[in-house]
């Protein structure tokens, strides 16, 4: 390669004689550059001799490394590069270490993040398979929240009553790819009830006279937050004789020789809608003693309360339900449902239709009952004996003879026993435990959006329940009364519309009313457990879990979930825990035998809780060959769903990948003492799994790019400092005739060499770290550090190299002096810090840009995690994934912030090195070390504030575009990220400030 043109030509003989005294020859002894100072073919020009002499003296004064070479030698770029690396090892080492750390960290972080991404996909794939893949419902049942955002309200499907025919179900069964199609027909709520004995050990023996006792009860629901006083029950016990009428509704006793009507035994509560209704009983001493002895069905107690347990009754296909939900395998006693039809029998002296059911082994509702038994005064006894009734005795004082509480579980087991053996219960309790003639349908809850502490929440809307739904015609005709089936809390705040259906006892042309034909019990906890992260709207036999959102709410609820109450119109609905077969539906389709006590004032008007033409509420479908949420599985599900929609024209939803989505609910105060509550309730978000996979991919790409960008800025800062330090040398080469392209190549080769070494070292470190910590850093992945280092270094270094080559040669060899655009006279340390920070704005802007990207990365990643919790994936599945991914996110953000901090520190180190004489001068004129520290701290803070503010603004803009809106919490998270950026910039000033103490003040002033 020919030598570069040289404007200075050697004089005749200059290369031989006089070599020892030639300044160039003197320089050659210390040189490591090879430079030809001759332009061949150009005659000597004496006029330039003086200029050349002064230039060589300049080179000697600058102690530049030059070597004179003989004719025919060529300048080797690699030789110059190697000489520069050795000569200025500290700067080369700084560039090497910066690239080494960046490449090793980038490789390890991306490997870790990729590993976390694969774990995320695996977790989603595992959790994404729920109990069923497709849900089929009637058209027109979607609420606005589901249409708009894919949110399905908790328990919403239990409010769908029919709309799908049996023929459509059989159509779906025949579609290719359908593994099982399990229909559900929601019939409604029934309230079986049982008498629970009280005060078994209280002596109520009247002796030789008569006594009157009153049982006062208090019902507790909502974990004790709601309290309701029940209607008192009375027991009249006498040693005399009692006679009753044919129906045993009136008791007579001969008193003072006169036969008197002691009491009328009411079968219904005609006063108010409290539960249990007033019970009035009369016993002779002999009857009482028989009961206490255990001969009677009440097993040792003459007083008791009637407890009603609401059951949501649903009809299923036994075979399909066993296959889809595993109901048959959850049976713990008795037998499973068969496919037989209903039968007729006589229960409690009445003809009835026997409906085979299986019931849950434990109640869905939660209720407790405390009681107190008082013996009333003799005047109260006389009041009754005169036939004056009991209304005036409701609050009459008495002497407490016993107290206690009822055990809900024991009462429920008594109910199951009465279902199995109706003859074992007192009076009509056996029939009451099996009675299905009163049916109630609860609609969905309505919500309005509101703001609570800056967050959007849903407020449940109270609704008025017409208490007429509880009225029923008395046997044998007469006026309508409030029925004895009214459960506790029926007059508490309602959140659902309630519709009642009563069996028409006046219609004798129909079969008897439907009653329970007990088959067995199942334990809902034994049902196959699909992932709790992907439960779908009707996938379990468990009630919705509703918990307190704040410590105050949790304390009110006794640190427990808010359970369903016996109030059917209440907020939390009980699970479907009474199941019958589809073959039993005709018992509830006899329209003329049911009537609605609210819409009509007389029986005989057709009304039925079941749509005879289309009784099925929903169909749950599992598709063959589906193993998770992969593309093949989703395609199979989509194909089956399309065929179902085409053949049935029903509403078809693909539920694969659905997950519970926690919602914040504000529940207004109740009528029985419960205050307003803020609750968390799991709704269902459809299609979460696919959204998570997409979001994870986008976040990983964004993370990798941010790491690369910050790494490039750090390298650019280091290369710019190296080029700036060599500005004079590059200027000399330009003066000696080097082309600009060759100067750029000189810098580029040096950067590439250092980057290559750093890439190799970074790859080896990443591979070793992967082996040590179990990260998936394969040799191939580790080798990617080499091209990454080369690309980042060359891209980052090209601008400083080109800018150095563009400088005027003569200006480059002169000392740099910054001439301000206008004079400034700062009078404070802060003012001088501002002047210094803006003296070389390019350098400060580069450091601020790195910090801005770091703050933006922190803010954006925090925003993405916020989206996972509250929007796209504000679900259990999303929260679990975000927890698993968050480790790599934190590591990446920390790495980015560290690189940005190093960039700020690097700027301050360069400032100290280049302004050493200036700092020494300030010390010489009396500046304290603390003043210099404050000066550098000011520069660091200014860079930090500028970068953090820009980064925070960038993060907000990105989040606003991606998410669509900025909540208060999101803005606060970005502001915290900006504050962290400022703190990091302040921390980055500590190492540079520490070097001030080691400044050689005297040496610097002497050299100046």
């Amino acid at each position: 390669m020919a030598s570069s043109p040289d404007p200075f030509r050697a004089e005749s003989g200059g290369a031989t004689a006089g070599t020892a005294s030639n300044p160039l020859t003197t320089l050659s002894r210390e040189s490591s550059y090879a430079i030809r100072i001759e332009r061949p073919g150009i005659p000597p020009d004496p006029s330039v001799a003086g200029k050349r002499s002064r230039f060589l003296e300049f080179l000697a004064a600058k102690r530049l490394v030059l070597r004179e070479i003989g004719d025919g030698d060529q300048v080797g770029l690699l030789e110059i590069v190697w000489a520069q690396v050795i000569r200025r090892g500290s700067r080369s080492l700084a560039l090497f270490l910066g690239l080494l750390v960046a490449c090793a960290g980038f490789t390890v972080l991306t490997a870790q993040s990729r590993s976390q991404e694969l774990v995320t996909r695996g977790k989603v794939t595992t959790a994404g398979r729920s109990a069923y893949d497709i849900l089929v419902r009637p058209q027109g049942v979607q609420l606005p929240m589901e249409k708009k955002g894919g949110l399905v309200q908790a328990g919403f499907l239990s409010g769908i009553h029919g709309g799908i025919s049996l023929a459509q179900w059989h159509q779906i069964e025949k579609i290719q790819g359908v593994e099982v199609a399990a229909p559900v027909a929601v019939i409604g709520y029934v309230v079986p009830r049982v008498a629970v004995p009280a005060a078994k050990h209280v002596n109520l023996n009247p002796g030789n006279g008569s006594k009157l006792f009153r049982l006062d009860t208090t019902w507790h629901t909502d974990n004790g937050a709601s309290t309701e006083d029940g209607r008192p029950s009375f027991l009249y016990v006498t040693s005399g004789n009692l006679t009753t009428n044919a129906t045993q509704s009136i008791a007579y006793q001969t008193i003072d020789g006169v036969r008197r009507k002691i009491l009328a035994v009411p079968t219904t509560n005609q006063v108010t809608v409290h539960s249990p209704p007033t019970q009035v009983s009369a016993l002779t001493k002999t009857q009482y003693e028989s009961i206490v002895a255990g001969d009677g069905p009440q097993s040792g107690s003459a007083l008791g309360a009637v407890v009603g347990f609401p059951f949501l009754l649903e009809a299923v296909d036994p075979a399909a339900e066993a296959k889809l939900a595993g109901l048959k395998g959850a049976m713990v006693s008795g037998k499973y449902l068969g496919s037989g039809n209903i039968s007729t029998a006589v229960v409690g002296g009445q003809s009835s239709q026997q409906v085979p059911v299986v019931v849950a082994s434990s109640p869905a509702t939660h209720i407790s009952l405390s009681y107190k038994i008082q013996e009333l005064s003799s005047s109260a006894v006389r009041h009754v004996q005169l036939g004056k009734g009991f209304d005036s005795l409701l609050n009459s004082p008495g002497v407490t003879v016993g107290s206690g509480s009822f055990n809900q579980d024991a009462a429920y087991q008594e109910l199951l026993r009465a279902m199995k053996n109706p003859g074992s219960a007192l009076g009509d309790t056996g029939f009451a435990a099996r009675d299905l003639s009163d049916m109630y349908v609860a609609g969905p809850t309505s919500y309005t959006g509101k703001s609570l502490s800056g967050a959007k929440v849903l407020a449940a809307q109270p609704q008025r329940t017409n208490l007429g739904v509880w009225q029923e015609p008395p046997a044998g005709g007469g006026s309508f009364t409030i029925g004895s089936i009214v459960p506790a809390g029926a007059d508490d705040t309602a959140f659902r519309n309630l519709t009642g259906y009563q069996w028409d006892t006046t219609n004798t042309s129909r079969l008897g009313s439907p009653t329970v034909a007990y088959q067995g019990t199942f334990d809902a906890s034994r049902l196959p457990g699909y992932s709790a992260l992907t439960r779908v709207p009707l996938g379990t036999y468990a009630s919705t879990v509703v918990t307190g959102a704040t410590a105050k709410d949790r304390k009110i609820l006794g640190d427990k979930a808010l359970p369903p109450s016996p109030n059917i119109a209440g907020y939390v609905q009980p699970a479907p825990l009474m199941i019958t077969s589809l073959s039993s539906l005709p018992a509830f389709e006899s329209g003329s035998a049911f009537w609605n006590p609210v819409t009509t004032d007389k029986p005989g008007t057709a009304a039925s809780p079941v749509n005879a033409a289309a009784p099925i509420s929903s169909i749950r479908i599992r598709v063959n060959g589906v193993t998770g949420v992969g593309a093949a599985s989703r395609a199979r599900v989509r194909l089956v769903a399309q065929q179902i929609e085409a053949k049935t024209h029903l509403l078809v939803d693909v539920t694969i990948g659905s997950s519970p989505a926690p919602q914040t609910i504000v529940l207004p105060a109740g009528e029985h003492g419960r205050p307003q509550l803020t609750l968390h309730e799991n709704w269902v978000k459809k299609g979460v799994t696919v959204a998570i996979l997409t979001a994870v991919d986008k976040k990983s790409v964004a993370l990798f790019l941010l790491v690369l960008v910050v790494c490039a800025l750090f390298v650019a800062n280091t290369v710019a400092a190296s080029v700036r330090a060599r500005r004079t040398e590059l200027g000399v080469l330009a003066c000696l005739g080097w082309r600009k392209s060759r100067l750029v190549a000189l810098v580029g080769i040096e950067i590439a060499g250092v980057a290559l070494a750093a890439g190799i070292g970074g790859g080896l470190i990443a591979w070793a770290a992967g082996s040590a910590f179990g990260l998936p850093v394969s040799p191939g992945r580790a080798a990617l550090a080499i091209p990454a280092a080369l690309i980042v270094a060359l891209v980052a270094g090209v601008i400083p190299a080109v800018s150095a080559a563009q400088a005027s040669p003569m200006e480059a060899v002169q000392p740099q002096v910054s001439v301000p655009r206008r004079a400034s006279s700062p009078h404070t340390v802060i003012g001088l810090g501002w002047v210094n920070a803006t003296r070389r704005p390019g350098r400060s802007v580069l450091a601020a840009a790195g910090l801005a990207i770091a703050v933006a990365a922190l803010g954006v990643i925090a925003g993405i995690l916020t989206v996972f919790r509250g929007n796209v994936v504000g679900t259990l599945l999303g929260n679990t994934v975000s927890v698993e991914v968050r480790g790599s996110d934190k590591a990446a953000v920390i790495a980015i912030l560290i690189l940005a901090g190093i960039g700020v520190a690097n700027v301050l180190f360069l400032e100290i090195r280049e302004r050493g004489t200036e700092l020494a001068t300030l010390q010489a004129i009396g500046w304290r070390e603390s003043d210099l520290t404050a000066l550098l701290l000011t520069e660091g803070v200014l860079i930090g504030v500028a970068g953090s503010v820009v980064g925070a603004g960038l993060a907000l803009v990105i989040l606003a575009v991606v998410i669509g809106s900025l909540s208060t919490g999101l803005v606060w998270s970005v502001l915290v990220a900006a504050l962290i950026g400022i703190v990091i910039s302040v921390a980055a000033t500590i190492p540079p400030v520490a070097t001030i103490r080691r400044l050689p003040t005297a040496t610097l002033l002497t050299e100046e």
Side-chain angles (χ1 to χ4, degrees), residues 180 231 551 633:
V180 58
R231 290 281 293 173
S633 294

Side-chain angles (χ1 to χ4, degrees), residues 225-481:
S226 296
T227 301
E228 176 187 6
D229 292 329
R231 290 281 293 173
S233 299
F234 294 92
L235 174 64
Y236 175 77
V237 188
T238 180
S239 58
N241 294 322
L242 289 174
T243 59
T244 61
N245 62 352
T247 61
Q248 297 186 344
S249 60
I250 301 176
Y252 299 91
Q253 183 178 10
T254 301
I255 300 174
D256 300 330
V258 180
R259 185 173 183 266
R260 298 180 182 276
K261 183 172 68 173
I262 299 301
L263 52 88
V265 181
T267 58
T268 57
N269 175 8
Q270 303 181 24
V271 181
T272 185
V273 187
H274 279 287
S275 179
T278 300
Q279 300 293 313
V280 181
S281 306
L283 296 174
T284 65
K285 180 179 179 180
T286 302
Q287 290 172 325
Y288 168 75
E289 290 174 345
S290 175
I291 292 174
V292 172
D295 295 338
Q298 228 174 346
S299 304
S301 177
L303 273 177
V306 175
V307 183
F309 290 92
F311 283 81
L312 179 57
L313 175 61
E314 294 184 347
V316 302
D317 178 70
E321 199 67 21
K323 188 175 182 180
L324 180 76
L327 183 58
K328 185 175 182 179
M331 298 297 296
V332 293
S333 66
K335 61 181 181 180
Y336 186 56
L337 291 171
S339 57
N341 295 324
I342 57 177
S343 59
T344 58
V346 177
V347 177
Q350 302 180 29
S351 176
S352 65
Q353 301 181 72
Q354 299 290 286
V355 178
V357 300
V358 293
V359 296
S361 58
S362 58
T365 58
H366 181 272
I367 188 172
S368 62
L369 179 64
S370 58
Y371 66 86
K372 179 174 62 175
I373 300 175
Q374 290 186 315
E375 180 181 347
L376 303 185
S377 64
S378 57
S379 61
V381 174
R382 186 64 177 173
H383 181 86
V384 171
Q385 290 175 342
L386 294 176
K388 295 183 178 181
F390 295 86
D391 289 347
S392 62
L393 303 178
L394 296 178
N395 298 309
S396 179
V399 178
T400 301
V401 295
S403 62
S405 61
F406 291 152
N407 183 290
Q408 173 187 250
D409 295 332
Y412 188 80
Q413 296 306 315
E414 177 66 22
L415 175 66
L416 296 183
R417 187 172 68 87
M419 286 183 178
K420 300 175 189 177
N421 306 295
S424 65
L426 179 65
D428 71 341
T429 305
F431 179 77
R434 308 178 72 182
D435 183 21
L436 301 178
S437 62
D438 299 300
M439 196 71 57
Y440 303 91
V441 174
T445 300
S446 298
Y447 299 88
T448 58
K450 63 180 300 185
S451 178
L452 183 66
S453 300
K456 294 181 179 180
V457 301
L458 296 173
Q461 296 302 295
Q463 300 184 29
R464 290 184 61 86
T465 296
N466 190 328
L467 297 180
V469 299
W470 300 108
Q471 69 181 3
E472 60 183 8
S479 61
F480 293 92
T481 57

